[in-house]
Structures are given as C-alpha cells and as structure tokens.
Amino acid sequence: MTRLGVGLTHAPGLDRVMAACGDLLEVVEIEPQTLWRTRTDGEIDVDEEALRRLADLPGARLLHGIGNPVGGCLQPDGEQLDRFAQLAERLGTPWVSEHLAFNRVRPPGQGGGAEFRTGFMLPPRQTASGVRHSVSSVRTMMDRLPVPLAVEIGTNYLRPRPDELPDGEFVARVAEGAGCGLLLDLHNVLANERNGRGGVEQLLADLPLDRVWEVHLAGGLEHRGYWLDAHSGLPDQELLDLAARVLPRLPALRAVLFEVVGPAVTQLEAAEVRDLLVRVREMWPQHPAADLPRPWRSPLPAQAGPDPVSPQEGSPRECSPQECSPQEWEHTLGSLVIGRSPDSPLARELAADPALPLLRELVSEFRAGALVGTLVHTLRLLLLTLGTEGVRELLDGYTRAQPPPLFATQEAFAFADHLRRARPAVEWLSDVLELDLGLIRVQLDGEPQTVELDTEPTALLAALGAGRLPVGAPRGPHRVRLVDDRAPERSSA
C-alpha cells in the first residue's frame, strides 16, 4: 500500500469546504452506511447519485464503517459486509476500516432471546476471552473483503475496571491475533485520557505502531463532566500537539483524515480547514511510508490465555462482575443504555458508573435526531402542542419499548406505530403523520405516493413550516399526490 496523504471524511453539507480545499485534498473517506437506504419492501439500495458525486471528488478513496463493528461476540452482519465489499471494489479503496466495538446484542444462555441493537457503539469486554471474540469478528470481516481491514480504537466513557486489560494491550492483542491494521483516532484516545481511562503515552507504548495505517483528527466538547467524541469542529491545540508528536512515530501511516459530523459542518470555515490540512502535511514527514513489516493477514490464531476467572461462556447462572463473560457484559451494558434494567451484580455495578446516564442520553439524543430528520412536520407539531417535556416523555416511552433499528427511516416507521398506539391528544396528528410517512416512502422507493387526509394539506404544512399551529385549516377529505422533489410544500392536492 502506498501513501495516500491528508484529507477529509465526507459529511452532508461538506461540499463547499471540499471545493475550497480541492488542491490540498489527497484522500476522501466515505462512510458507506450513509449511502444505503432501505426501501419500504425491506431491500437496501445504494444512493447512486450520491456515490457518483463522491467518486468525482479529487484524491483517493477510503471506506470507514460506522454501523457494523467488529469487537463483539456476534459476528458482523453478513449482508452489510457484502455491500461494504462491493463498494470497496467499485471505489478502488486500498483498505477499509471499522470500529472495535459492539452494537448488537443477544442474551446469553441456551434459551437466548431476541437480538437487539444498542443504537450506539459500546466498548467490548477487555479480557482474554473478549480478545478471542474480537479476533473472530475481525477475521470474519477480513475474509469477506477484497482489501485489508484496519480497526479503530474507540472512545470508552466507562471507568477502568480492575479485571480488564488496559486499552492499549487489548487493542494490541486483537490486532496481532487477527493480523489486521489499526486506525488510530487521536481524538478518541485523548478523550479517553481526559475522561480518566488512562494516559495516551501508555496506550501508544502498548500498541504495535507499525500496524497504524490511518489516523483521524476531530473536535469534541465537554458535557456532563465528560469530554465527548462529538466530531463537532476543528481539533484543539492539545490534539494538534499530540498529532505532531505521534505522526512521525508511525512508519506504516498512509492517510490522515479530519472528521466532522453533518450538524457541525455549517460552523466550519473553509479557510480554517485548509490551514489544518496544511499543518498536518507539515507535521507528517514526507518520505514514503515504510512497507508493512508483517503480512496484513496473519495465519496464526490469537494467542491469549484464560481470563483471571472464567466461567462457562453463555451460562445463564448469575456471576459476579469480575467473572462475567463477554456475552453477559454485552447483554447487560447494551440493555442498560437503551433503558432496560436487568437485575444482576454486573448490572448493579454498571448502573452505578457515572457514565451510564451519559450513554443513555447519547442513545436517546441520537434516536431523537433520527426522528427530527425524518418525521419533520410530525415532531414540530408534537413540540408545538405538548412542549419539550411532553415530547420527551413520549419519546422515553417509545425508546423503552422499542430497541434502536439500523436506519433512521426504520426509526420513523416504528415511532409512527407507537404514536398510533399511544394516541396522544394532538390535533391534526394523524394527517401530519401520514404526510411525513408518505414523503419518506417517496424518497425510499422513488415512486409517487397518494395519501388520504381529513384536512387541507397546504394550510397544515404552511403553518408548521412557519413554526406555528394551524388555525382554521379547512376540514374535509383530500387526496394528496406526493412526488420525489423532497419538498412537501410543493406536493399537489
């Protein structure tokens, strides 16, 4: 693999910044899940128009997974892996990356139970047994891809545990056992240090730095006494100083990317992003990256001893927090963050961690954001009628009853079902909800949709678009044809 250079991870709305940085943009990283959309029949398509625009940008391409992590007991989703592999081939990416975390859970024991998603990437069990499960997941992904895989070191807001491997040692064992590369997100590891997980220098001392192919830089913010990996702006000076010390120590480094999320894009100044790219170039030695000292795919199994206390994995018996298996860890932590309350020593210990309310809030805010971005008029009507606290209570009831789905549009349809069952006292709710759902179906399937309403739609949408409740909206049956211009106010009645 050759050196790619510096660049950006693509986010919605970033086009103006990328255009201003075109002569400096050597690589663009794409999150494949942002290009997938689920149709109303359950099939998943690639947004070909968005993909074409991204393919036309200057520089090389990388793919960075955000929804199919490889740090848990459940193997990565096979359908997502196949779509990931197809995109890698179409874009000619030299490698791809995914997170060393988990976001899918299955209850332990022979009886098992329904698998569910957590809506947030969570830290795996950092024991020898956890290493073995992570190595298995990483290798499963590697075997399905046409190119090498690097795994990202994640953010962990939980307190360090005396029975777990240090962060750097855990990652090192996984990388060595699986034979994969590493994506070193310097903002992640700095956030972990700021939040009390351990020092960056110790983590770097534990890592096989000759496996680091890619580095991420990002900005964050303080919330609830934690430093959040929010990707909310430019890197701060401490992170830039850290990058200046670390980049020259990475002999196999091929790419350095600046990450930002869509909601923060509007606050970025293109000139500041250009300055960042120039600065990164200056701190990264310009000689070609060294050849990898080892094959990217190791033929050897993971070498890891037993956990300090190792019960039979998957056993339904109650275990102490110190002897819990990776399956029990994932089920307990995943249940807690989505608002469930399992009763076990581990659950009680984790519930006492001050990071738990933060994780629950992050999951809830992420899910609420998905609804605001899909059921635009419905959420506005609910807020105008019920107020912030009323909507929060409604959302809390929904999220406790319904685990997070994979796609934002699936969240919208599930919340619509919840509203129909809950039947909150909100005038015009049925009509506005049908309009929003019709618009989602139009966008998903690319076909016009006809919905039947009991209120004249123009008055409804005009009032809500202006941030007020409808007044005197004419009643009576209306058939509305919605078309794929993604502008509900122009729909014909």
Side-chain angles (χ1 to χ4, degrees), residues 1 43 77 106 115 129 134 140 164 192 257 268 331 442 463:
M1 291 185 289
E43 294 297 316
D77 181 86
R106 183 180 298 144
E115 179 183 313
S129 182
S134 294
T140 294
E164 69 183 6
N192 287 345
L257 283 300
L268 285 178
H331 178 252
V442 167

Side-chain angles (χ1 to χ4, degrees), residues 16-17 72 89 117 129 174 219 227 245 264 268 319 388 415 418 454 463 478:
R16 64 175 180 85
V17 174
E89 288 187 322
R117 294 184 178 274
S129 182
V174 173
W227 187 260
R245 298 194 306 272
L268 285 178
C319 60
T388 302
F415 185 59
H418 178 79
D454 294 324
H478 287 78

Side-chain angles (χ1 to χ4, degrees), residues 466-481:
R468 56 180 173 78
L469 290 172
V471 176
R475 295 288 190 176
H478 287 78
R479 288 174 59 86
V480 184
R481 180 177 169 82

Side-chain angles (χ1 to χ4, degrees), residues 37-45 409 413 437-449 484 486:
R37 57 185 188 184
T38 177
R39 300 200 309 253
T40 53
D41 62 5
E43 294 297 316
I44 296 174
D45 287 335
T409 50
F413 285 114
L437 293 176
L439 289 167
I440 293 173
R441 293 188 182 100
V442 167
Q443 294 176 19
L444 293 180
D445 295 341
E447 299 290 339
Q449 295 283 324
D484 193 13
R486 305 199 179 189

Side-chain angles (χ1 to χ4, degrees), residues 298-466:
S298 168
L300 300 175
Q303 300 297 315
D307 292 340
V309 180
S310 183
Q312 180 182 356
E313 291 189 1
S315 170
R317 72 176 178 82
E318 188 174 273
C319 60
S320 71
Q322 287 71 37
E323 62 180 2
C324 72
S325 69
Q327 293 95 332
E328 181 67 22
W329 167 268
E330 292 172 20
H331 178 252
T332 303
L333 180 57
S335 297
L336 289 169
V337 301
I338 66 170
R340 298 177 178 178
S341 301
D343 185 19
S344 69
L346 177 62
R348 291 188 288 274
E349 179 185 298
L350 287 175
D353 191 307
L356 232 294
L358 171 68
L359 291 172
R360 282 179 169 168
E361 179 185 347
L362 292 175
V363 171
S364 296
E365 291 299 320
F366 182 79
R367 300 186 70 181
L371 294 174
V372 169
T374 51
L375 298 176
V376 179
H377 302 94
T378 301
L379 266 294
R380 189 168 297 170
L381 175 64
L382 291 172
L383 285 167
L384 289 169
T385 305
L386 302 177
T388 302
E389 289 304 315
V391 172
R392 188 178 301 279
E393 182 177 344
L394 191 61
L395 288 173
D396 286 346
Y398 163 69
T399 55
R400 284 195 300 269
Q402 176 71 39
L406 178 59
F407 292 102
T409 50
Q410 294 172 329
E411 190 87 85
F413 285 114
F415 185 59
D417 289 340
H418 178 79
L419 288 175
R420 294 185 184 109
R421 292 191 298 270
R423 303 180 67 179
V426 176
E427 193 174 3
W428 307 290
L429 178 59
S430 178
D431 285 344
V432 174
L433 185 61
E434 287 307 310
L435 281 168
D436 273 342
L437 293 176
L439 289 167
I440 293 173
R441 293 188 182 100
V442 167
Q443 294 176 19
L444 293 180
D445 295 341
E447 299 290 339
Q449 295 283 324
T450 299
V451 297
E452 297 186 358
L453 309 176
D454 294 324
T455 311
E456 198 281 316
T458 304
L460 285 179
L461 296 176
L464 292 172

Side-chain angles (χ1 to χ4, degrees), residues 70 76 81 84 98 137-145 149:
V70 288
L81 287 183
F84 206 172
E98 187 48 276
S137 291
V138 173
R139 287 195 162 192
T140 294
M141 188 168 190
M142 291 168 67
D143 289 341
R144 299 280 285 270
L145 293 172
L149 171 68

